[in-house]
Amino acid sequence: MKQLLALLAVMSILVLTGCSNVYSQEDGYRMAIINQGFPVPKEAYEVKAEDCVGEISKSAKYKLKGIGDSEGNPPDHYLRTIEEWGWTEMMEDRRGSIHFYEKQGKIISLNIKENVFDVFEMTSATES
């Protein structure tokens, strides 16, 4: 009986370890909770978002291993997917790891850090 319980415990640990949330372009994307037209990786899970202040009308915070390197650079595939979903990057407004995108009058700010990222819907155009 003890051996069976030990085996079940080991198997549970292996299953949980194998299901960790890590960025993979093969897993695909889903809609962000704050904007139905903005993609986030399917494996990302939401954590408590920042309070909305100033130019930010809505915010969502996600955790996902491998979404950004130590300098906040996101995977190229993710950036291409955002553009494939119809968003245009506002290059002149980019601030380090913070990217701004526009689509049909909506502005989204994407702030990527190592293993975490924020998605903000802005109330108005950004100021450079």
Side-chain angles (χ1 to χ4, degrees), residues 77-94:
H77 187 268
Y78 184 34
L79 298 179
R80 282 194 310 272
T81 299
I82 293 169
E83 291 182 359
E84 288 170 4
W85 282 39
W87 294 89
T88 303
E89 184 166 9
M90 302 164 65
M91 297 298 286
E92 67 279 359
D93 292 321
R94 183 189 250 179

Side-chain angles (χ1 to χ4, degrees), residues 9-24:
V10 169
M11 293 299 292
S12 296
I13 291 170
L14 290 174
V15 167
L16 290 175
T17 309
C19 295
S20 62
N21 295 47
V22 178
Y23 175 79
S24 170

Side-chain angles (χ1 to χ4, degrees), residues 46-67:
E46 188 182 358
V47 295
K48 187 174 186 314
E50 308 289 326
D51 291 332
C52 296
V53 294
E55 296 178 323
I56 301 170
S57 65
K58 298 177 188 175
S59 69
K61 184 179 211 75
Y62 298 90
K63 280 195 165 192
L64 182 62
K65 290 180 185 173
I67 191 62

